[in-house]
Amino acid sequence: MQRLHLHLPDEAATARLGADLAQVLAPGLAIYLHGDLGAGKTALTRALLHAAGYQGRVKSPTYTLAEPYEVSFAGRMVTVIHFDLYRMASPEEFLDAGFREHFNENSVCIVEWPEKGDPVLPPPDIHVNLSLAGDGRDVELRALSDKGHQCLARLKF
Ligand code: ADP
Ligand code: MG
């Protein structure tokens, strides 16, 4: 499954998709979330983290740009780093902060506003595009690597 289109009629549907994704994520994945402000990028990430067992509050790391969470996928502890690059002034800031080191085989990186890090961000495994559709949202999930492909192929609804 290289490409998947879904309609998410309400926030509960976004939360279900986050929970479904939490079931199929594997360490080493980089997931980039595209979409305007309010499209649901943080809502999707929050649902994913809660479904993976994180019990605290999840808000967008607008000022710190990155927030790590220790969660468990398939019984294995994994660090998920949630990035929000909206306020990043330049791609160099990403490099200077050492963020590239988070993109490794032991972590899952979820990035809001990846376009702000262009061209220094590593290529993603999965590209997610959220857009407003009536009162709900449309979402497109696209696998861009073998690893991303394997992950989306395991998605069950
Ligand atoms: P972003 O991170 O993309 O800027 P947020 O996740 O912070 O967006 O905000 C998304 C807003 O849209 C929240 O108010 C949330 O309740 C709402 N929302 C999320 N998913 C849906 C959906 N499928 N349908 C309608 N509203 C949604
Ligand atoms: Mg956000």
Side-chain angles (χ1 to χ4, degrees), residues 67-86:
E67 187 69 36
Y69 298 89
E70 297 298 324
V71 298
S72 111
F73 291 133
R76 173 170 168 196
M77 289 311 287
V78 176
T79 304
V80 175
I81 298 118
H82 178 203
F83 293 91
D84 181 347
L85 304 183
Y86 188 66

Side-chain angles (χ1 to χ4, degrees), residues 4 15-16 19 28 35 37 41 48 65 70 75 95 98 100-101 103 111 144 150 154:
L4 187 69
R16 279 195 298 277
L37 277 176
K41 302 179 295 297
L48 187 157
L65 303 183
E70 297 298 324
L95 298 177
R100 264 193 91 105
E101 287 151 38
F103 290 72
V111 186
L144 298 173
Q150 283 160 23
R154 292 175 56 222

Side-chain angles (χ1 to χ4, degrees), residues 8-11 13-14 35-44 46 60 112-113 135-137:
L8 306 170
D10 51 27
E11 184 164 10
T14 301
D36 288 341
L37 277 176
K41 302 179 295 297
T42 303
L44 184 67
R46 179 181 298 122
S60 217
E112 297 188 36
W113 298 101
D135 291 338
R137 306 287 185 269

Side-chain angles (χ1 to χ4, degrees), residues 1-5 124-129 139-155:
M1 187 190 309
Q2 286 296 97
R3 212 183 263 255
L4 187 69
H5 289 269
D125 300 290
I126 298 174
H127 169 116
V128 177
N129 194 57
V139 63
E140 180 196 33
L141 299 144
R142 194 149 34 103
L144 298 173
S145 71
D146 286 348
K147 214 188 303 176
H149 183 90
Q150 283 160 23
C151 172
L152 293 190
R154 292 175 56 222
L155 258 186

